[in-house]
Amino acid sequence: MQVRNFCIIAHIDHGKSTLADRLLEFTGTVTKREMKEQLLDDLALERQRGITIKARAVSMRYTYQGETYELNLIDTPGHVDFQYEVSRSLACCEGALLLVDAFQGVEAQTVANAYSAMEHDLAIIPVINKIDLTHARPDEVAAEMEQSLGSDPDAIVKVSAKAGLGIEDLVATIIEKIPPPSGSVDAPLQAMVFDSNYDDYRGAITYIRVMNGTVRKGQKIRFLRAGTEHEVVEMGQFQPHRTACDTLRAGQVGYLICNIKSLKDVHIGDTVSVPGKQAAEALTGYSRPKRMVYCGLFPSDGQDFSELRDALGKLSINDPSFEFEPETSDALGFGFRCGFLGLLHMEIVQQRLEQESDVDLVQTAPNVTYEIITKRGETLTIHKPQDVPDPGDIEEFRQPIVRCNIVVPTDYIGAVIKLCQERRGIQYGQEYLGPTRAMLIYDIPLAEVIYDLHDKIKSCTRGYGTLDYEMQGYEAADLVRMDILVNGNRVDALSVVCHRADADRRGRAVVKKLKSEIDRHMFEVAVQAAIGSRVIARETVSAMRKNVTAKCYGGDITRKRKLLQKQKEGKKRMKAVGSVEISQKAFMSVLSTG
Ligand code: GDP
Ligand code: MG
């Protein structure tokens, strides 16, 4: 049987999932009756957020001009946090549908994804979706696609995924324009692991694309990077439900089940081959997931610690790119320092935790991973600000820089440039996509991006600006660790890393905020911000003069009781810093301001 392997790349909401549904329906892979909307997004959370988090693969059969084809649609995650997974998925395809909304036009993710597809030498089929919209502007969008992506306007396929227009044409184009996979059935087995997920009954399910050779049910396989060997207990394809088969040959896409108990043992980008001397070479491009964003997660009530640990453990079985380790904080007690691929990944993990367990969470402001070269010549990788050594020990302080594509209506170019400059961005390029839209390219510290850049771009462009970014590497910068001291005691959870030029402003804001949240004590309380031993801001909570609690309005006894109860609960949440009692609420109000 002839095979075509392809993916759909698109900016979020341009209709990728809807188009996938239409293709499944048109090829008879699912009947209309079976068709639930957006079948590919089968995680409840994905459905809720309307985004595709994990790659999936579906295998369709279609007869075209008397010949039956196997059409494998590999669903790639659309978000930059999962860039590595996107690139592994693209490496399994020969072609890509580049889908653009007929009204929205080319957006930041469209461009970023199209470039990735080009880097992988995929045949690209430009598609304009949503032509049913009354305000569709397909001709202008076609011009944008020509200008920014080099698409030939005559080659653009116009469809409505929702109304099912143009789908037959599109399938014919896929068969005609996307080359069949190369690779030899007789060569040693060489297959790429492009995704995995966890089934409670079957363990790890490994998604593969066979590059060369054949894999058979019952045979022994070896993961070349992990160096582990397993027996193939079951294999097959998703049509769209798991459908077992006995062999998968060069060019095909499918799944393997090998009694693997944890996803930690399946590495995306790994190569499947046979044990021993017959093994093929490992495929190139393998790397480990890099955690770029860290935050502390604490149970808001100390006794939920073990519950939180269990919940995190369960989650990490399903998501090996998420990591956690115990952390103790003076301010927040026992909790965990957690590492994520990016901000969205962090949000997803947090939501899952809250949905799947009853733990009430306190999350500290996220920070990026820093690199420090010490005076002694060591390189430290820092995941939390309190681990940054004292200023005198630092030779070089490095932070991650990302290259941002920002697509905006031309009216907002000035506002966005100003914003990027404030965030220490360096302009790399600017390009017009058409008469009314432009793309700005900036290199910006990741720390500034995760702080609030996306929200700020949205708000200064009335929601029209879109942002996408890609890791560039680490660069030296004038960074400092700023500490917060309460009566001379450093509060670990409140240390932050920031640019030296921002330290004064941020320090003043934090001490002011914290002062307003600390109750008066019998003695004066000094709240200070400091870099090393140098104090940069100070506020004082003056000592208590009279007994404010004596002020009582009498009368309503139940109200008084409630008040007492509340005070008791409040007590529980108090943390001591030296001899100063600070409520958890006070810490949170500061932490949440970043
Ligand atoms: P994805 O984020 O790219 O997967 O986008 P979805 O498939 O979830 O679609 C985003 C929104 O656009 C949904 O509300 C769809 O119903 C809508 N949509 C998708 N395709 C079309 C189309 O052809 N016409 C119209 N009018 N709406 C569409
Ligand atoms: Mg989707």
Side-chain angles (χ1 to χ4, degrees):
M1 200 183 328
Q2 291 254 30
V3 176
R4 296 290 183 272
N5 296 314
F6 68 102
C7 57
I8 307 173
I9 54 184
H11 192 78
I12 197 158
D13 284 343
H14 284 199
K16 185 166 93 168
S17 301
T18 311
L19 180 62
D21 289 352
R22 275 306 82 63
L23 291 171
L24 292 180
E25 198 180 88
F26 178 75
T27 55
T29 311
V30 290
T31 59
K32 265 220 160 67
R33 193 170 47 82
E34 282 176 315
M35 176 60 71
K36 279 183 296 175
E37 249 192 69
Q38 302 198 352
L39 208 92
L40 286 186
D41 296 347
D42 57 0
L43 245 71
L45 188 74
E46 292 186 20
R47 191 177 293 266
Q48 191 184 328
R49 295 181 57 105
I51 52 167
T52 304
I53 297 162
K54 292 294 282 179
R56 294 281 185 285
V58 223
S59 197
M60 302 172 270
R61 301 285 180 279
Y62 183 68
T63 304
Y64 175 71
Q65 297 183 344
E67 180 132 24
T68 304
Y69 289 83
E70 174 180 320
L71 305 178
N72 295 314
L73 168 56
I74 296 172
D75 193 22
T76 58
H79 194 274
V80 53
D81 284 3
F82 307 100
Q83 195 56 47
Y84 174 62
E85 291 175 30
V86 175
S87 103
R88 293 306 81 206
S89 302
L90 294 178
C92 294
C93 299
E94 279 75 37
L97 309 184
L98 176 59
L99 190 70
V100 179
D101 184 308
F103 173 65
Q104 301 289 344
V106 172
E107 300 277 20
Q109 274 172 22
T110 319
V111 180
N113 289 331
Y115 285 166
S116 311
M118 290 171 197
E119 276 165 26
H120 284 89
D121 283 329
L122 303 192
I124 293 176
I125 300 175
V127 182
I128 293 183
N129 185 32
K130 309 198 188 182
I131 53 165
D132 59 299
L133 290 174
T134 46
H135 50 288
R137 43 180 199 105
D139 296 339
E140 286 164 54
V141 170
E144 282 179 13
M145 291 171 78
E146 183 179 16
Q147 171 106 18
S148 58
L149 307 166
S151 310
D152 171 4
D154 295 328
I156 296 175
V157 185
K158 298 189 173 114
V159 304
S160 165
K162 193 165 171 185
L165 302 173
I167 305 299
E168 187 170 359
D169 237 19
L170 180 61
V171 174
T173 312
I174 291 169
I175 292 170
E176 301 271 353
K177 293 276 172 65
I178 297 176
S182 55
S184 157
V185 178
D186 303 317
L189 173 63
Q190 186 191 43
M192 157 95 79
V193 175
F194 66 90
D195 197 6
S196 63
N197 65 16
Y198 191 78
D199 182 282
D200 285 341
Y201 302 102
R202 310 299 308 269
I205 297 182
T206 308
Y207 291 64
I208 57 159
R209 151 75 198 264
V210 185
M211 298 298 180
N212 283 297
T214 305
V215 56
R216 294 185 175 79
K217 187 180 165 188
Q219 85 169 81
K220 276 252 185 314
I221 55 154
R222 181 179 173 85
F223 288 111
L224 297 183
R225 304 279 179 186
T228 54
E229 292 176 10
H230 305 275
E231 185 185 319
V232 179
V233 177
E234 185 192 315
M235 59 191 290
Q237 292 183 313
F238 291 87
Q239 299 182 349
H241 306 290
R242 229 154 63 201
T243 308
C245 66
D246 293 329
T247 56
L248 287 171
R249 298 150 63 90
Q252 286 188 293
V253 172
Y255 69 88
L256 302 178
I257 295 177
C258 310
N259 282 336
I260 300 173
K261 291 287 174 281
S262 163
L263 282 190
K264 290 229 176 348
D265 300 325
V266 180
H267 304 278
I268 292 176
D270 204 345
T271 305
V272 178
S273 192
V274 292
K277 289 208 172 67
Q278 298 300 310
E281 267 182 43
L283 294 158
T284 56
Y286 173 78
S287 75
R288 292 176 177 283
K290 282 194 192 68
R291 261 77 39 169
M292 294 311 301
V293 173
Y294 282 77
C295 78
L297 288 181
F298 295 83
S300 64
D301 199 331
Q303 62 215 32
D304 290 337
F305 176 77
S306 61
E307 217 174 301
L308 176 58
R309 186 185 50 212
D310 293 348
L312 290 170
K314 224 171 103 195
L315 236 159
S316 73
I317 293 179
N318 280 291
D319 181 357
S321 54
F322 155 68
E323 70 177 10
F324 65 101
E325 58 176 43
E327 173 179 20
T328 339
S329 155
D330 301 342
L332 300 168
F334 293 101
F336 296 92
R337 175 115 303 232
C338 303
F340 310 91
L341 299 173
L343 267 195
L344 179 74
H345 187 215
M346 180 174 86
E347 254 181 66
I348 291 166
V349 168
Q350 237 184 305
Q351 272 193 16
R352 282 201 189 146
L353 273 177
E354 275 168 9
Q355 273 168 12
E356 290 163 22
S357 68
D358 288 334
V359 189
D360 195 14
L361 286 179
V362 171
Q363 186 212 307
T364 65
N367 63 268
V368 302
T369 302
Y370 294 96
E371 276 181 9
I372 286 176
I373 316 286
T374 63
K375 285 260 174 359
R376 281 184 293 159
E378 295 167 298
T379 305
L380 308 176
T381 304
I382 303 281
H383 299 314
K384 53 177 192 240
Q386 56 265 48
D387 290 348
V388 172
D390 286 324
D393 297 334
I394 299 175
E395 180 67 36
E396 192 169 276
F397 207 145
R398 295 179 181 162
Q399 64 174 343
I401 304 288
V402 292
R403 175 151 301 165
C404 300
N405 289 329
I406 306 163
V407 172
V408 290
T410 42
D411 291 352
Y412 301 110
I413 290 178
V416 172
I417 286 181
K418 183 163 172 280
L419 182 66
C420 291
Q421 278 169 354
E422 282 166 12
R423 298 304 143 98
R424 306 206 151 69
I426 293 175
Q427 190 165 15
Y428 180 78
Q430 176 171 339
E431 207 177 290
Y432 281 85
L433 302 181
T436 57
R437 287 149 53 77
M439 181 164 73
L440 301 170
I441 306 166
Y442 267 90
D443 286 349
I444 304 179
L446 178 61
E448 304 278 349
V449 175
I450 70 167
Y451 191 51
D452 65 353
L453 188 68
H454 196 245
D455 291 346
K456 279 277 154 43
I457 285 179
K458 284 278 170 210
S459 66
C460 81
T461 61
R462 299 183 176 221
Y464 289 120
T466 53
L467 163 74
D468 197 89
Y469 59 85
E470 173 181 39
M471 188 59 192
Q472 282 290 103
Y474 283 80
E475 275 179 25
D478 194 8
L479 301 171
V480 294
R481 183 192 83 211
M482 182 180 76
D483 297 323
I484 300 301
L485 311 172
V486 173
N487 272 3
N489 297 300
R490 175 172 135 185
V491 186
D492 56 9
L494 298 184
S495 292
V496 294
V497 171
C498 62
H499 199 274
R500 189 182 303 276
D502 292 340
D504 280 9
R505 183 177 49 81
R506 286 184 68 169
R508 272 199 303 275
V510 172
V511 294
K512 209 162 167 190
K513 181 98 199 174
L514 196 56
K515 179 200 169 185
S516 71
E517 296 281 348
I518 293 180
D519 292 331
R520 287 182 172 193
H521 283 61
M522 299 306 290
F523 46 86
E524 207 176 75
V525 177
V527 185
Q528 297 167 309
I531 298 171
S533 55
R534 190 168 64 84
V535 173
I536 56 172
R538 178 190 167 115
E539 293 276 345
T540 307
V541 184
S542 51
M544 205 183 307
R545 258 176 253 138
K546 57 182 178 229
N547 188 353
V548 278
T549 53
K551 224 181 202 171
C552 212
Y553 293 92
D556 190 349
I557 184 78
T558 56
R559 202 175 146 263
K560 242 188 232 163
R561 249 198 221 124
K562 260 188 201 156
L563 211 70
L564 277 174
Q565 185 58 34
K566 263 213 172 119
Q567 272 170 4
K568 235 167 85 189
E569 278 169 18
K571 268 268 155 49
K572 257 200 333 208
R573 302 268 168 96
M574 294 301 251
K575 311 276 174 179
V577 176
S579 53
V580 182
E581 296 249 291
I582 302 179
S583 71
Q584 189 160 68
K585 181 175 153 280
F587 286 121
M588 285 327 298
S589 73
V590 175
L591 287 169
S592 63
T593 60

